[in-house]
Amino acid sequence: MTATSKTDQKAALDIASWLFNVVTSVGIILVNKALMATYGFSFATTLTGLHFGTTTLLTTLLTWLGYIQPSQLPWPDLLKFVLFANFSIVGMNVSLMWNSVGFYQIAKLSMIPVSCLLEVFLDNVRYSRDTKLSILLVLAGVAVCTVTDVSVNLNGFLAAAIAVWSTALQQYYVHYLQRKYSLGSFNLLAHTAPVQAASLLLVGPFLDYWLTNQRVDAFNFSFVSLFFLILSCSIAVGTNLSQFICIGRFTAVSFQVLGHMKTILVLVLGFTFFGKEGLNLQVVLGMLIAILGMIWYGNASSKPGGKERRSLSIPITKAQKLIGLSETTESDEKV
């Protein structure tokens, strides 16, 4: 296979991976919006546990059929990942309850600079000026079209901080574990999904009761709400898998930056299916700015020196002690 054909094949797989993630992520957001807002199933943590439970059933079946090959992931690394992931889920839910929507959106936007910091300190990644400016443009655009009222309190700020850092660490760790143990996306999902399902289904009902003052076991399902619940769990399998695929092929920062395309699509589809309330010139302008920033980021980060991991001459850094990672000394330009 020639170098050109390999490059074309990689580009095609990259595009397919992003489309898979965008379609499943936007789909699950719209389905969950209908399930929660229209039919009143407001138990977000328990729902996430059901998502991972469904994912566990699929990965178990595929392993039994021989489509997922046996692999190893040490328990300390597995538990560390699950800790980050579960704190991310719980932190986001609590942050949304304790903060205004505007501050919640700002917290989500701050995941990109936090992810950048992790890559800089843990992987010695360096960004070019254009790459940094393009990230700022994306942040500005998404902020313009999503951030409205902004109010904050101490509890809400702490919840948001936990959510942001745990999400950034979880996404960094996806890429790290796949590299360190040569795990495919399905392999990693087969290791992590059962533990996440068990822990979230154990804690979820109690946390949801604390957040909503409603018991999940007392929810009165209708045929339509049960259909949306099953649909949400089915789409979640693709969402979980596509996240691992994308972060494995790219990096957590690229996943966050280009992932804001999903935010734009959700807004557009929300205005299309749920009414045009809130649609104005500011929102449209913010969308255009964000899209331009994403295009610029894709171009800038793919150029030589746009985003590169440099080899280190020292064996260990203080940042590694944060999560006990061994420093990589490989030199590549993964975008």
Side-chain angles (χ1 to χ4, degrees), residues 111-159:
M111 289 178 194
I112 293 179
V114 170
S115 294
C116 289
L117 284 175
L118 289 177
E119 289 192 354
V120 167
F121 286 107
L122 298 180
D123 279 351
N124 201 35
V125 169
R126 293 294 178 264
Y127 300 90
S128 68
R129 186 193 64 175
D130 281 358
T131 303
K132 293 174 185 175
L133 290 175
S134 66
I135 291 174
L136 290 176
L137 190 62
V138 172
L139 293 174
V142 177
V144 167
C145 63
T146 61
V147 177
T148 51
D149 61 309
V150 178
S151 60
V152 63
N153 56 73
L154 179 60
N155 289 338
F157 178 82
L158 291 176

Side-chain angles (χ1 to χ4, degrees), residues 121-332:
F121 286 107
L122 298 180
D123 279 351
N124 201 35
V125 169
R126 293 294 178 264
Y127 300 90
S128 68
R129 186 193 64 175
D130 281 358
T131 303
K132 293 174 185 175
L133 290 175
S134 66
I135 291 174
L136 290 176
L137 190 62
V138 172
L139 293 174
V142 177
V144 167
C145 63
T146 61
V147 177
T148 51
D149 61 309
V150 178
S151 60
V152 63
N153 56 73
L154 179 60
N155 289 338
F157 178 82
L158 291 176
I162 291 171
V164 168
W165 277 97
S166 57
T167 301
L169 284 166
Q170 181 257 343
Q171 292 183 354
Y172 174 87
Y173 219 43
V174 168
H175 188 66
Y176 168 78
L177 290 176
Q178 290 189 8
R179 269 187 328 190
K180 181 176 181 181
Y181 297 108
S182 299
L183 294 173
S185 302
F186 263 119
N187 292 110
L188 184 56
L189 202 56
H191 285 293
T192 59
V195 184
Q196 281 193 263
S199 55
L200 289 173
L201 289 175
L202 181 65
V203 175
F206 300 100
L207 180 64
D208 289 332
Y209 179 76
W210 176 54
L211 293 174
T212 66
N213 203 31
Q214 297 180 59
R215 290 173 47 181
V216 65
D217 60 308
F219 184 77
N220 185 24
F221 281 101
S222 64
F223 174 79
V224 179
S225 62
L226 185 60
F227 168 78
F228 273 100
L229 177 63
I230 295 173
L231 182 61
S232 175
C233 290
S234 301
I235 298 174
V237 176
T239 306
N240 292 332
L241 176 61
S242 66
Q243 182 193 46
F244 283 12
I245 291 174
C246 286
I247 296 178
R249 293 188 68 83
F250 310 102
T251 63
V253 172
S254 294
F255 181 74
Q256 283 284 345
V257 173
L258 300 180
H260 279 299
M261 178 60 72
K262 293 177 287 189
T263 304
I264 305 301
L265 284 174
V266 168
L267 286 172
V268 171
L269 293 174
F271 292 136
T272 302
F273 293 110
F274 300 103
K276 294 181 172 56
E277 182 180 354
L279 180 62
N280 52 47
L281 181 61
Q282 175 183 328
V283 172
V284 174
L285 180 62
M287 290 179 183
L288 293 174
I289 293 173
I291 291 171
L292 287 174
M294 292 172 203
I295 295 171
W296 188 9
Y297 174 83
N299 182 57
S301 61
S302 63
K303 290 180 178 178
K307 179 182 177 183
E308 60 184 5
R309 182 180 290 111
R310 298 178 182 176
S311 59
L312 297 177
S313 58
I314 54 176
I316 251 180
T317 64
K318 290 182 180 180
Q320 289 172 308
K321 297 177 183 178
L322 176 65
I323 54 176
L325 306 181
S326 59
E327 183 65 69
T328 177
T329 58
E330 64 185 83
S331 178
D332 65 7

